[in-house]
């Protein structure tokens, strides 16, 4: 079965598209992409992986 991916951008994102977008379709995987390159690579994470990534970003453990 092919799922149509719908993308969500944070409300605080700049109009120029300087952000990441998350997929909002109801599957087991959340996709993340660079909004400036919508046809480029995507990161696919299950719920636990997404939670771990967000936790590391919030803690400052990643140099972003």
């Amino acid at each position: 079965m092919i799922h149509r991916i719908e993308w969500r951008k944070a409300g605080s994102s700049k109009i120029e598209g300087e952000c990441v977008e998350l997929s909002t379709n109801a599957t087991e995987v959340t996709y993340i992409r660079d909004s400036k390159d919508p046809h480029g690579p995507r990161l696919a994470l299950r719920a636990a992986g997404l939670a771990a990534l967000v936790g590391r970003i919030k803690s400052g453990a990643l140099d972003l």
Side-chain angles (χ1 to χ4, degrees):
M1 175 186 288
I2 297 174
H3 295 280
R4 180 175 181 270
I5 298 176
E6 296 180 22
W7 297 95
R8 178 175 51 95
K9 191 184 306 188
S12 60
S13 296
K14 297 180 181 180
I15 294 173
E16 297 85 23
E18 297 175 3
C19 67
V20 296
E21 296 176 318
L22 299 178
S23 63
T24 58
N25 53 319
T27 66
E28 294 180 17
V29 176
T30 297
Y31 295 96
I32 303 171
R33 71 179 182 184
D34 181 347
S35 63
K36 294 183 302 290
D37 187 11
H39 300 292
R42 299 172 182 171
L43 179 63
L45 297 170
R46 295 193 184 277
L50 180 60
L53 175 62
V54 170
R56 292 191 69 202
I57 291 169
K58 286 183 175 183
S59 74
L62 300 175
D63 183 22
L64 302 175

Short mmCIF file of all heavy atoms in Angstrom, two decimals:
data_model
loop_
_atom_site.label_atom_id
_atom_site.label_comp_id
_atom_site.label_asym_id
_atom_site.label_seq_id
_atom_site.Cartn_x
_atom_site.Cartn_y
_atom_site.Cartn_z
N MET A 1 0.83 -1.17 0.00
CA MET A 1 0.00 0.00 0.00
C MET A 1 0.89 1.25 0.00
O MET A 1 1.84 1.34 0.76
CB MET A 1 -0.92 0.00 1.22
CG MET A 1 -1.73 1.26 1.35
SD MET A 1 -2.70 1.36 2.87
CE MET A 1 -3.96 0.17 2.54
N ILE A 2 0.59 2.21 -0.84
CA ILE A 2 1.33 3.46 -0.91
C ILE A 2 0.57 4.52 -0.13
O ILE A 2 -0.62 4.72 -0.33
CB ILE A 2 1.52 3.91 -2.37
CG1 ILE A 2 2.35 2.87 -3.12
CG2 ILE A 2 2.19 5.27 -2.42
CD1 ILE A 2 2.49 3.14 -4.59
N HIS A 3 1.29 5.18 0.78
CA HIS A 3 0.69 6.24 1.57
C HIS A 3 1.12 7.58 1.01
O HIS A 3 2.30 7.78 0.71
CB HIS A 3 1.13 6.16 3.04
CG HIS A 3 0.66 4.93 3.73
ND1 HIS A 3 -0.61 4.80 4.21
CD2 HIS A 3 1.29 3.76 4.01
CE1 HIS A 3 -0.74 3.62 4.77
NE2 HIS A 3 0.40 2.97 4.65
N ARG A 4 0.21 8.50 0.89
CA ARG A 4 0.54 9.85 0.49
C ARG A 4 1.12 10.56 1.71
O ARG A 4 0.53 10.55 2.78
CB ARG A 4 -0.71 10.59 0.01
CG ARG A 4 -0.43 11.99 -0.43
CD ARG A 4 -1.69 12.63 -1.03
NE ARG A 4 -1.42 13.96 -1.46
CZ ARG A 4 -1.54 15.04 -0.70
NH1 ARG A 4 -1.96 14.92 0.55
NH2 ARG A 4 -1.27 16.23 -1.17
N ILE A 5 2.28 11.16 1.54
CA ILE A 5 2.92 11.85 2.65
C ILE A 5 2.47 13.30 2.65
O ILE A 5 2.57 14.00 1.65
CB ILE A 5 4.45 11.76 2.55
CG1 ILE A 5 4.89 10.31 2.63
CG2 ILE A 5 5.11 12.59 3.64
CD1 ILE A 5 6.37 10.10 2.43
N GLU A 6 1.96 13.74 3.78
CA GLU A 6 1.61 15.14 3.98
C GLU A 6 2.63 15.73 4.93
O GLU A 6 3.01 15.09 5.91
CB GLU A 6 0.20 15.26 4.55
CG GLU A 6 -0.85 14.75 3.58
CD GLU A 6 -2.26 14.86 4.12
OE1 GLU A 6 -2.48 15.68 5.03
OE2 GLU A 6 -3.12 14.12 3.64
N TRP A 7 3.08 16.95 4.65
CA TRP A 7 4.15 17.56 5.40
C TRP A 7 3.65 18.70 6.27
O TRP A 7 2.75 19.43 5.89
CB TRP A 7 5.24 18.08 4.44
CG TRP A 7 5.86 16.96 3.69
CD1 TRP A 7 5.51 16.52 2.44
CD2 TRP A 7 6.90 16.10 4.13
NE1 TRP A 7 6.29 15.45 2.09
CE2 TRP A 7 7.15 15.17 3.10
CE3 TRP A 7 7.65 16.03 5.30
CZ2 TRP A 7 8.13 14.19 3.21
CZ3 TRP A 7 8.62 15.05 5.40
CH2 TRP A 7 8.85 14.14 4.37
N ARG A 8 4.27 18.86 7.44
CA ARG A 8 3.90 19.92 8.38
C ARG A 8 5.16 20.70 8.73
O ARG A 8 6.20 20.14 9.05
CB ARG A 8 3.31 19.31 9.64
CG ARG A 8 2.93 20.33 10.70
CD ARG A 8 2.24 19.66 11.87
NE ARG A 8 2.96 18.52 12.40
CZ ARG A 8 3.80 18.56 13.43
NH1 ARG A 8 4.03 19.70 14.04
NH2 ARG A 8 4.39 17.48 13.86
N LYS A 9 5.03 22.01 8.66
CA LYS A 9 6.13 22.91 9.00
C LYS A 9 5.75 23.65 10.28
O LYS A 9 4.60 24.00 10.48
CB LYS A 9 6.32 23.91 7.87
CG LYS A 9 7.58 24.73 7.95
CD LYS A 9 7.67 25.77 6.84
CE LYS A 9 7.51 25.19 5.47
NZ LYS A 9 7.78 26.17 4.42
N ALA A 10 6.72 23.91 11.13
CA ALA A 10 6.46 24.63 12.38
C ALA A 10 5.89 26.01 12.08
O ALA A 10 6.30 26.67 11.13
CB ALA A 10 7.73 24.75 13.19
N GLY A 11 4.95 26.45 12.90
CA GLY A 11 4.35 27.77 12.72
C GLY A 11 5.35 28.90 12.85
O GLY A 11 5.16 29.98 12.31
N SER A 12 6.46 28.65 13.54
CA SER A 12 7.48 29.69 13.71
C SER A 12 8.51 29.70 12.59
O SER A 12 9.45 30.49 12.63
CB SER A 12 8.19 29.49 15.05
OG SER A 12 8.81 28.22 15.08
N SER A 13 8.32 28.85 11.58
CA SER A 13 9.27 28.78 10.47
C SER A 13 9.23 30.05 9.64
O SER A 13 8.20 30.71 9.53
CB SER A 13 8.94 27.59 9.57
OG SER A 13 9.09 26.41 10.27
N LYS A 14 10.35 30.33 9.02
CA LYS A 14 10.44 31.49 8.14
C LYS A 14 9.75 31.19 6.82
O LYS A 14 9.72 30.05 6.36
CB LYS A 14 11.90 31.86 7.90
CG LYS A 14 12.61 32.28 9.17
CD LYS A 14 14.04 32.63 8.88
CE LYS A 14 14.74 33.03 10.16
NZ LYS A 14 16.13 33.37 9.93
N ILE A 15 9.21 32.20 6.20
CA ILE A 15 8.51 32.04 4.91
C ILE A 15 9.46 31.50 3.85
O ILE A 15 9.06 30.75 2.97
CB ILE A 15 7.89 33.38 4.47
CG1 ILE A 15 6.79 33.79 5.44
CG2 ILE A 15 7.36 33.30 3.05
CD1 ILE A 15 6.22 35.16 5.21
N GLU A 16 10.73 31.85 3.93
CA GLU A 16 11.71 31.41 2.94
C GLU A 16 11.94 29.90 2.98
O GLU A 16 12.61 29.35 2.15
CB GLU A 16 13.05 32.12 3.15
CG GLU A 16 12.99 33.61 2.97
CD GLU A 16 12.55 34.33 4.24
OE1 GLU A 16 12.71 33.79 5.35
OE2 GLU A 16 12.03 35.44 4.11
N GLY A 17 11.40 29.22 3.98
CA GLY A 17 11.51 27.77 4.05
C GLY A 17 12.73 27.26 4.78
O GLY A 17 13.19 26.17 4.53
N GLU A 18 13.29 28.04 5.67
CA GLU A 18 14.49 27.65 6.39
C GLU A 18 14.12 26.79 7.59
O GLU A 18 14.16 27.25 8.74
CB GLU A 18 15.27 28.88 6.82
CG GLU A 18 15.75 29.69 5.65
CD GLU A 18 16.42 30.98 6.06
OE1 GLU A 18 16.57 31.23 7.26
OE2 GLU A 18 16.80 31.73 5.16
N CYS A 19 13.71 25.56 7.34
CA CYS A 19 13.32 24.70 8.44
C CYS A 19 13.28 23.25 7.97
O CYS A 19 13.51 22.96 6.81
CB CYS A 19 11.95 25.11 8.97
SG CYS A 19 10.64 24.81 7.78
N VAL A 20 12.95 22.39 8.89
CA VAL A 20 12.67 21.01 8.54
C VAL A 20 11.17 20.82 8.59
O VAL A 20 10.45 21.57 9.23
CB VAL A 20 13.37 20.00 9.49
CG1 VAL A 20 14.87 20.11 9.36
CG2 VAL A 20 12.93 20.19 10.92
N GLU A 21 10.70 19.81 7.89
CA GLU A 21 9.28 19.48 7.89
C GLU A 21 9.13 18.03 8.33
O GLU A 21 9.99 17.20 8.06
CB GLU A 21 8.68 19.64 6.49
CG GLU A 21 8.71 21.06 5.99
CD GLU A 21 8.21 21.18 4.56
OE1 GLU A 21 8.56 20.34 3.72
OE2 GLU A 21 7.48 22.14 4.30
N LEU A 22 8.03 17.74 9.01
CA LEU A 22 7.71 16.38 9.44
C LEU A 22 6.49 15.90 8.69
O LEU A 22 5.58 16.67 8.42
CB LEU A 22 7.41 16.34 10.94
CG LEU A 22 8.52 16.77 11.89
CD1 LEU A 22 8.02 16.72 13.31
CD2 LEU A 22 9.74 15.89 11.72
N SER A 23 6.47 14.61 8.39
CA SER A 23 5.28 14.03 7.77
C SER A 23 4.18 13.92 8.82
O SER A 23 4.45 13.74 10.00
CB SER A 23 5.60 12.66 7.19
OG SER A 23 5.98 11.75 8.21
N THR A 24 2.96 14.04 8.37
CA THR A 24 1.83 13.99 9.31
C THR A 24 0.89 12.84 9.03
O THR A 24 -0.15 12.73 9.64
CB THR A 24 1.02 15.31 9.24
OG1 THR A 24 0.56 15.50 7.91
CG2 THR A 24 1.86 16.49 9.67
N ASN A 25 1.25 11.96 8.10
CA ASN A 25 0.38 10.82 7.82
C ASN A 25 0.46 9.80 8.95
O ASN A 25 1.45 9.72 9.66
CB ASN A 25 0.73 10.19 6.48
CG ASN A 25 2.19 9.84 6.37
OD1 ASN A 25 3.05 10.60 6.79
ND2 ASN A 25 2.49 8.70 5.81
N ALA A 26 -0.60 9.08 9.13
CA ALA A 26 -0.69 8.13 10.25
C ALA A 26 -0.09 6.79 9.86
O ALA A 26 -0.79 5.87 9.46
CB ALA A 26 -2.14 7.98 10.67
N THR A 27 1.22 6.67 9.96
CA THR A 27 1.91 5.40 9.76
C THR A 27 2.85 5.20 10.94
O THR A 27 2.94 6.05 11.82
CB THR A 27 2.73 5.38 8.44
OG1 THR A 27 3.80 6.32 8.55
CG2 THR A 27 1.87 5.70 7.25
N GLU A 28 3.58 4.12 10.92
CA GLU A 28 4.51 3.84 12.01
C GLU A 28 5.79 4.67 11.90
O GLU A 28 6.58 4.70 12.83
CB GLU A 28 4.88 2.36 12.01
CG GLU A 28 3.73 1.44 12.32
CD GLU A 28 4.15 -0.01 12.30
OE1 GLU A 28 5.36 -0.29 12.36
OE2 GLU A 28 3.26 -0.86 12.23
N VAL A 29 5.99 5.31 10.77
CA VAL A 29 7.23 6.04 10.51
C VAL A 29 6.93 7.53 10.31
O VAL A 29 5.98 7.88 9.62
CB VAL A 29 7.94 5.47 9.26
CG1 VAL A 29 9.17 6.28 8.92
CG2 VAL A 29 8.30 4.01 9.47
N THR A 30 7.77 8.37 10.91
CA THR A 30 7.70 9.81 10.66
C THR A 30 8.89 10.15 9.77
O THR A 30 10.01 9.74 10.04
CB THR A 30 7.80 10.61 11.97
OG1 THR A 30 6.68 10.30 12.78
CG2 THR A 30 7.83 12.10 11.71
N TYR A 31 8.62 10.88 8.71
CA TYR A 31 9.68 11.31 7.79
C TYR A 31 10.03 12.75 8.09
O TYR A 31 9.18 13.57 8.44
CB TYR A 31 9.22 11.19 6.34
CG TYR A 31 8.96 9.78 5.92
CD1 TYR A 31 7.68 9.25 5.94
CD2 TYR A 31 10.01 8.95 5.52
CE1 TYR A 31 7.43 7.94 5.57
CE2 TYR A 31 9.77 7.63 5.13
CZ TYR A 31 8.48 7.14 5.17
OH TYR A 31 8.24 5.85 4.81
N ILE A 32 11.31 13.08 7.95
CA ILE A 32 11.81 14.43 8.16
C ILE A 32 12.56 14.83 6.90
O ILE A 32 13.33 14.04 6.35
CB ILE A 32 12.76 14.50 9.37
CG1 ILE A 32 12.05 13.98 10.62
CG2 ILE A 32 13.29 15.90 9.58
CD1 ILE A 32 12.96 13.81 11.81
N ARG A 33 12.34 16.08 6.45
CA ARG A 33 13.05 16.56 5.26
C ARG A 33 13.40 18.04 5.43
O ARG A 33 12.82 18.74 6.25
CB ARG A 33 12.22 16.38 3.99
CG ARG A 33 11.03 17.32 3.90
CD ARG A 33 10.26 17.12 2.63
NE ARG A 33 9.15 18.07 2.54
CZ ARG A 33 8.26 18.08 1.57
NH1 ARG A 33 8.34 17.19 0.60
NH2 ARG A 33 7.29 18.97 1.55
N ASP A 34 14.32 18.49 4.60
CA ASP A 34 14.71 19.90 4.54
C ASP A 34 13.71 20.59 3.63
O ASP A 34 13.54 20.22 2.47
CB ASP A 34 16.12 20.01 3.97
CG ASP A 34 16.63 21.43 3.89
OD1 ASP A 34 15.85 22.39 4.05
OD2 ASP A 34 17.84 21.59 3.65
N SER A 35 13.04 21.62 4.13
CA SER A 35 12.00 22.27 3.34
C SER A 35 12.57 22.99 2.12
O SER A 35 11.85 23.23 1.15
CB SER A 35 11.21 23.27 4.19
OG SER A 35 12.06 24.29 4.65
N LYS A 36 13.86 23.30 2.12
CA LYS A 36 14.47 23.94 0.95
C LYS A 36 14.75 22.93 -0.16
O LYS A 36 15.01 23.32 -1.29
CB LYS A 36 15.76 24.64 1.35
CG LYS A 36 15.56 25.83 2.28
CD LYS A 36 16.88 26.53 2.60
CE LYS A 36 17.94 25.69 3.22
NZ LYS A 36 17.74 25.24 4.59
N ASP A 37 14.72 21.64 0.15
CA ASP A 37 14.99 20.58 -0.83
C ASP A 37 13.92 19.50 -0.69
O ASP A 37 14.21 18.38 -0.26
CB ASP A 37 16.38 20.02 -0.58
CG ASP A 37 16.82 19.04 -1.66
OD1 ASP A 37 16.14 18.94 -2.71
OD2 ASP A 37 17.84 18.35 -1.44
N PRO A 38 12.67 19.81 -1.04
CA PRO A 38 11.57 18.87 -0.79
C PRO A 38 11.67 17.54 -1.54
O PRO A 38 11.05 16.57 -1.14
CB PRO A 38 10.33 19.64 -1.22
CG PRO A 38 10.82 20.70 -2.13
CD PRO A 38 12.20 21.04 -1.68
N HIS A 39 12.48 17.49 -2.59
CA HIS A 39 12.63 16.23 -3.33
C HIS A 39 13.94 15.53 -2.98
O HIS A 39 14.28 14.51 -3.56
CB HIS A 39 12.54 16.49 -4.83
CG HIS A 39 11.23 17.10 -5.23
ND1 HIS A 39 10.04 16.42 -5.15
CD2 HIS A 39 10.92 18.34 -5.65
CE1 HIS A 39 9.06 17.21 -5.53
NE2 HIS A 39 9.56 18.38 -5.83
N GLY A 40 14.64 16.09 -2.01
CA GLY A 40 15.92 15.52 -1.59
C GLY A 40 15.74 14.38 -0.60
O GLY A 40 14.65 13.82 -0.44
N PRO A 41 16.81 14.05 0.10
CA PRO A 41 16.76 12.92 1.04
C PRO A 41 15.81 13.16 2.20
O PRO A 41 15.53 14.31 2.56
CB PRO A 41 18.20 12.79 1.53
CG PRO A 41 18.84 14.09 1.22
CD PRO A 41 18.10 14.70 0.08
N ARG A 42 15.32 12.07 2.74
CA ARG A 42 14.41 12.10 3.90
C ARG A 42 14.95 11.16 4.96
O ARG A 42 15.49 10.11 4.66
CB ARG A 42 13.02 11.63 3.50
CG ARG A 42 12.39 12.48 2.46
CD ARG A 42 11.11 11.86 1.97
NE ARG A 42 10.55 12.69 0.92
CZ ARG A 42 9.53 12.33 0.17
NH1 ARG A 42 8.96 11.15 0.35
NH2 ARG A 42 9.07 13.14 -0.75
N LEU A 43 14.76 11.57 6.18
CA LEU A 43 15.11 10.73 7.32
C LEU A 43 13.84 10.05 7.79
O LEU A 43 12.82 10.72 7.97
CB LEU A 43 15.70 11.61 8.43
CG LEU A 43 16.12 10.93 9.72
CD1 LEU A 43 17.25 9.93 9.46
CD2 LEU A 43 16.58 11.98 10.73
N ALA A 44 13.86 8.74 7.97
CA ALA A 44 12.68 7.99 8.42
C ALA A 44 12.95 7.47 9.83
O ALA A 44 13.95 6.78 10.06
CB ALA A 44 12.40 6.83 7.47
N LEU A 45 12.06 7.82 10.76
CA LEU A 45 12.23 7.41 12.15
C LEU A 45 10.93 6.84 12.71
O LEU A 45 9.86 7.37 12.46
CB LEU A 45 12.64 8.60 13.02
CG LEU A 45 13.97 9.26 12.71
CD1 LEU A 45 14.11 10.55 13.49
CD2 LEU A 45 15.11 8.32 13.04
N ARG A 46 11.05 5.80 13.49
CA ARG A 46 9.91 5.30 14.26
C ARG A 46 9.77 6.20 15.49
O ARG A 46 10.62 7.03 15.78
CB ARG A 46 10.13 3.85 14.64
CG ARG A 46 10.17 2.94 13.42
CD ARG A 46 10.07 1.49 13.82
NE ARG A 46 10.20 0.61 12.68
CZ ARG A 46 9.19 0.30 11.86
NH1 ARG A 46 8.00 0.78 12.07
NH2 ARG A 46 9.39 -0.51 10.84
N ALA A 47 8.69 6.03 16.24
CA ALA A 47 8.38 6.92 17.37
C ALA A 47 9.53 7.02 18.37
O ALA A 47 9.88 8.12 18.81
CB ALA A 47 7.11 6.45 18.06
N ALA A 48 10.13 5.91 18.74
CA ALA A 48 11.22 5.92 19.73
C ALA A 48 12.44 6.68 19.20
O ALA A 48 13.08 7.43 19.93
CB ALA A 48 11.61 4.50 20.12
N GLY A 49 12.75 6.50 17.93
CA GLY A 49 13.88 7.20 17.33
C GLY A 49 13.64 8.69 17.24
O GLY A 49 14.54 9.49 17.50
N LEU A 50 12.41 9.08 16.89
CA LEU A 50 12.07 10.50 16.83
C LEU A 50 12.15 11.12 18.22
O LEU A 50 12.71 12.21 18.39
CB LEU A 50 10.67 10.69 16.23
CG LEU A 50 10.19 12.13 16.11
CD1 LEU A 50 11.12 12.95 15.23
CD2 LEU A 50 8.77 12.16 15.57
N ALA A 51 11.63 10.44 19.23
CA ALA A 51 11.69 10.96 20.60
C ALA A 51 13.14 11.12 21.06
O ALA A 51 13.49 12.11 21.70
CB ALA A 51 10.93 10.04 21.54
N ALA A 52 13.99 10.16 20.72
CA ALA A 52 15.39 10.25 21.10
C ALA A 52 16.08 11.42 20.39
O ALA A 52 16.85 12.16 21.01
CB ALA A 52 16.11 8.94 20.76
N LEU A 53 15.80 11.61 19.11
CA LEU A 53 16.38 12.72 18.36
C LEU A 53 15.95 14.07 18.94
O LEU A 53 16.78 14.94 19.20
CB LEU A 53 15.99 12.64 16.89
CG LEU A 53 16.46 13.82 16.01
CD1 LEU A 53 17.98 13.92 15.99
CD2 LEU A 53 15.89 13.68 14.61
N VAL A 54 14.67 14.23 19.19
CA VAL A 54 14.16 15.48 19.77
C VAL A 54 14.78 15.72 21.15
O VAL A 54 15.18 16.84 21.48
CB VAL A 54 12.62 15.48 19.83
CG1 VAL A 54 12.10 16.65 20.63
CG2 VAL A 54 12.04 15.49 18.41
N GLY A 55 14.90 14.67 21.93
CA GLY A 55 15.52 14.80 23.25
C GLY A 55 16.95 15.26 23.17
O GLY A 55 17.40 16.13 23.93
N ARG A 56 17.72 14.71 22.22
CA ARG A 56 19.12 15.12 22.06
C ARG A 56 19.23 16.56 21.57
O ARG A 56 20.11 17.30 21.99
CB ARG A 56 19.84 14.17 21.11
CG ARG A 56 19.98 12.77 21.72
CD ARG A 56 20.90 11.90 20.94
NE ARG A 56 22.25 12.42 21.09
CZ ARG A 56 23.24 12.18 20.22
NH1 ARG A 56 23.01 11.41 19.18
NH2 ARG A 56 24.44 12.67 20.41
N ILE A 57 18.32 16.96 20.68
CA ILE A 57 18.32 18.34 20.20
C ILE A 57 18.02 19.29 21.36
O ILE A 57 18.73 20.29 21.56
CB ILE A 57 17.30 18.53 19.06
CG1 ILE A 57 17.78 17.77 17.81
CG2 ILE A 57 17.09 20.01 18.75
CD1 ILE A 57 16.73 17.68 16.72
N LYS A 58 16.98 19.00 22.14
CA LYS A 58 16.61 19.86 23.26
C LYS A 58 17.69 19.94 24.32
O LYS A 58 17.86 20.98 24.97
CB LYS A 58 15.30 19.37 23.89
CG LYS A 58 14.08 19.67 23.05
CD LYS A 58 12.83 19.22 23.76
CE LYS A 58 11.59 19.60 23.01
NZ LYS A 58 10.36 19.21 23.75
N SER A 59 18.44 18.86 24.52
CA SER A 59 19.48 18.85 25.55
C SER A 59 20.75 19.56 25.11
O SER A 59 21.63 19.82 25.92
CB SER A 59 19.84 17.41 25.92
OG SER A 59 20.62 16.79 24.89
N GLY A 60 20.84 19.88 23.82
CA GLY A 60 22.04 20.53 23.30
C GLY A 60 23.15 19.56 22.96
O GLY A 60 24.28 19.96 22.70
N ALA A 61 22.84 18.26 22.93
CA ALA A 61 23.86 17.25 22.66
C ALA A 61 24.31 17.25 21.21
O ALA A 61 25.37 16.72 20.89
CB ALA A 61 23.32 15.87 23.03
N LEU A 62 23.54 17.84 20.32
CA LEU A 62 23.90 17.89 18.90
C LEU A 62 24.31 19.31 18.52
O LEU A 62 23.73 20.28 18.98
CB LEU A 62 22.71 17.44 18.05
CG LEU A 62 22.20 16.04 18.31
CD1 LEU A 62 20.95 15.76 17.48
CD2 LEU A 62 23.27 15.01 17.99
N ASP A 63 25.29 19.42 17.67
CA ASP A 63 25.78 20.72 17.22
C ASP A 63 24.97 21.14 15.99
O ASP A 63 25.35 20.89 14.86
CB ASP A 63 27.27 20.61 16.88
CG ASP A 63 27.87 21.94 16.48
OD1 ASP A 63 27.31 22.99 16.84
OD2 ASP A 63 28.91 21.94 15.81
N LEU A 64 23.83 21.77 16.26
CA LEU A 64 22.94 22.17 15.16
C LEU A 64 22.94 23.66 14.98
O LEU A 64 22.90 24.44 15.80
CB LEU A 64 21.52 21.69 15.42
CG LEU A 64 21.38 20.19 15.60
CD1 LEU A 64 19.95 19.84 15.97
CD2 LEU A 64 21.75 19.47 14.32
#
